Each structure stands twice: as C-alpha cells, then as structure tokens.
C-alpha cells in the first residue's frame, strides 16, 4: 500500500521539489520534499494498519469457515439415513424452569405480509415482539416452534404441529409456528421476497402459522447448537420464551405423547 501511495503522490512531490530549490538557495533548514513526504506518509499510517474492528470480523469469518467446513453434506445425509432424522432423543419430561434456556430472537415474515418476532413473551418490553401495525400480539401459553432448514424436513414439522393443534387447539391458548429458513440471497432480496411470500401457502387455521426467516442464520443455529440441516427441530416454548421441551425429525407416537404431557403441564400452570 505504501508503494502505491508514493506513486500516487509523485506529481505532488515533484511540485514540492521546485519549491525546495529556492529554500536551499535561501538557506532553508529542511527541504520541502522531505517535509511533504513525511507528512503525506504520516497521514497514511492509520490506513496502513488494520483496525481492531476489521481484525475481529476477519477472525469471526475464519472461525465460521472452519466450523462450516467441519461437516459435509454427505455426513449429514449419512446421519439422517442411519437414524431417520433422530439425531437425538426427544425429551420425555418437561424441562424445569431453572434449567430452561430462552429461545433465540428470530425475525419472521408470513405470506399475509405480517412481520413478527419469536419468541412471543408475556409483557414484552417496548419495541419487542410487535406486529407490523405496532400492536402487541396475544402471547400463547404454549407455542410449538418447528424449524425446517430444507424442504425435506417440512413434512417432519407437520407431523408435530397438526397433532399438537388437534389436541389443544380448542383451548385457544396454544399456537404452532412452522418456520422455513430461506438463505438464498436472491430470494432474500426485497422484490423477490415479496413475490415469494405471495406464492406461499396461507393457513386457514389462525393458530397455525407458516412463516419464513430470510437471510443468514448462522448465529441463530449456533445458539441452538443446530448442525445437521436436513432434519427438523421442534421446540415447545412457554409464555416467557423459554424452551421447555425439544424433539427432532418426524414425530412418533411415544414422542407425541411426551409432547402432549409437557404442553398440558404448561397449560395448567398459573
């Protein structure tokens, strides 16, 4: 960078040389070229060093690249085929309040054009979890959040959300969110995003929400320790935004039974 800076300053240095001849004749103490060169290069010094902020960004980018490359697509495929999407066992009992962690904040959009943020929490602070019209949505006592990172896992999400609403929909205290992640930069651009949302299905059930998360979701996945993107991730979230139960892949009868039991506990809490 210094070499390019010297070349760019060449014409100005030659102009400074012309003034330097007069200074030497008159007995000047320091040639103008030297003064100009030192001042010009001193001006460039802050730009020649990488700022701490940029260094931190590069370090994070390198760490992410290493992390993303540590697993391959074929490794994910192998894992899914081996256990049919069950990368871990679902909870059999409800997660105690003291051990429950908060579901990470996630901005979403619906095909109806509504913007919302999960988790919905009771008595949210100003600016959080508001709808597009500025109103605060009704917070469900129990929310089932089903995450799909690839189209192959959307049916897995439905295997949980539909039985869940069949069991508790009449109470009007639960909601199900089927979240699809769209990481394509093209579909995430404003014009195509609107067209994409208009083409997506709309649910006739007001308690069942098909919603979409656009853009990069790496930090969100890291918070939930999500690695394999080919399976579904299911979370039962309470009215304070805490994860109280978790499942994976497609639902089994036994897992639906444990989900139902845990959701019943939340509905009975005051």
């Amino acid at each position: 960078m210094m070499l390019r800076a010297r070349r760019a300053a060449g014409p100005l240095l030659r102009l400074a040389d012309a003034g330097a001849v007069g200074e030497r004749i008159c007995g000047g103490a320091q040639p103008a070229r030297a003064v100009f060169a030192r001042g010009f290069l001193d001006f460039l010094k802050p730009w020649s060093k990488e700022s701490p902020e940029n260094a931190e960004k590069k370090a994070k980018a390198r760490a992410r690249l290493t992390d993303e490359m540590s697993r391959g697509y074929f490794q994910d495929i192998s894992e899914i085929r081996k256990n049919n999407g069950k990368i871990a066992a679902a909870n059999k009992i409800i997660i105690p309040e003291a051990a429950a962690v908060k579901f990470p904040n996630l901005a979403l959009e619906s095909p109806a054009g509504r913007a919302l943020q999960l988790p919905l929490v009771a008595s949210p602070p100003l600016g959080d979890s508001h709808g597009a019209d500025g109103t605060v949505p009704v917070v469900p006592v129990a929310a089932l959040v089903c995450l799909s990172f690839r189209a192959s896992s959307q049916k897995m999400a439905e295997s949980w959300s539909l039985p869940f609403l069949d069991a508790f929909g009449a109470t009007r205290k639960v909601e199900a969110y089927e979240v699809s992640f769209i990481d394509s930069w093209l579909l995430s651009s404003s014009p195509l995003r609107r067209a994409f949302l208009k083409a997506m299905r709309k649910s006739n059930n007001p308690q069942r929400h098909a919603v979409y998360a656009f853009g990069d979701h790496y930090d969100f996945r890291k918070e939930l320790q999500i690695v394999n993107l080919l399976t579904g991730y299911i979370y039962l979230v309470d009215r304070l935004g805490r994860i109280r139960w978790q499942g994976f892949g497609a639902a089994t009868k036994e897992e639906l039974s444990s989900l139902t039991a845990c959701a019943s506990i939340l509905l009975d809490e005051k």
Side-chain angles (χ1 to χ4, degrees):
M1 179 176 177
M2 287 297 185
L3 182 58
R4 290 198 299 269
R6 287 180 179 274
R7 290 176 177 172
L12 296 176
L13 290 172
R14 286 193 292 272
L15 181 61
D17 279 340
V21 175
E23 285 196 13
R24 284 195 294 271
I25 293 174
C26 297
Q30 192 172 22
R33 178 184 176 91
V35 174
F36 177 85
R38 186 174 66 252
F40 185 77
L41 295 177
D42 285 344
F43 171 77
L44 288 176
K45 278 182 180 180
W47 302 94
S48 65
K49 296 181 179 179
E50 188 174 43
S51 67
E53 183 178 344
N54 287 339
E56 183 179 358
K57 287 181 179 179
K58 286 186 177 181
K60 287 183 177 180
R62 285 193 295 268
R64 172 173 179 170
L65 182 62
T66 302
D67 183 35
E68 297 280 41
M69 292 181 66
S70 64
R71 281 183 67 94
Y73 178 79
F74 293 105
Q75 185 177 353
D76 288 350
I77 283 283
S78 176
E79 187 176 54
I80 293 299
R81 288 177 176 174
K82 183 185 300 183
N83 51 38
N84 197 29
K86 299 294 183 182
I87 60 174
N91 293 115
K92 295 185 181 298
I93 60 174
I94 195 167
I95 299 173
E97 292 184 11
V101 298
K102 184 178 179 295
F103 189 88
N105 292 334
L106 181 62
L108 300 168
E109 296 183 47
S110 73
R114 179 189 172 206
L116 69 153
Q117 178 174 292
L118 290 181
L120 302 178
V121 296
S123 302
L126 183 62
D128 290 345
S129 303
H130 284 65
D133 57 358
T135 60
V136 179
V138 176
V139 177
V141 175
L144 189 69
V145 182
C146 309
L147 307 182
S148 299
F149 294 89
R150 298 293 181 263
S152 59
S153 59
Q154 289 177 350
K155 287 296 182 181
M156 297 179 183
E158 292 179 357
S159 73
W160 297 95
S161 62
L162 297 182
F164 177 76
L165 291 176
D166 285 342
F168 300 106
T171 68
R172 302 294 177 184
K173 295 181 180 180
V174 304
E175 292 188 1
Y177 295 87
E178 298 170 13
V179 183
S180 297
F181 288 81
I182 311 297
D183 52 11
S184 165
W185 68 268
L186 186 60
L187 291 178
S188 297
S189 62
S190 183
L192 287 181
R193 180 189 302 196
R194 289 194 295 269
F196 173 85
L197 288 172
K198 287 181 179 179
M200 292 298 100
R201 61 183 173 86
K202 298 178 177 64
S203 174
N204 295 324
N205 185 340
Q207 293 172 277
R208 181 187 179 191
H209 307 277
V211 288
Y212 300 86
F214 291 89
D216 183 70
H217 45 71
Y218 176 77
D219 291 334
F220 173 83
R221 288 191 286 113
K222 289 294 288 182
E223 284 198 58
L224 290 177
Q225 299 180 1
I226 292 174
V227 177
N228 193 320
L229 303 185
L230 301 181
T231 191
Y233 295 82
I234 318 300
Y235 302 90
L236 182 65
V237 181
D238 66 17
R239 65 194 312 268
L240 296 180
R242 300 170 301 190
I243 299 172
R244 305 297 298 278
W245 181 94
Q246 182 177 4
F248 307 89
T252 66
K253 289 183 179 180
E254 293 77 11
E255 290 171 332
L256 285 174
S257 178
S258 67
L259 169 62
T260 301
C262 293
S264 296
I265 293 174
L266 293 183
L267 292 174
D268 290 339
E269 290 180 352
K270 301 298 183 183

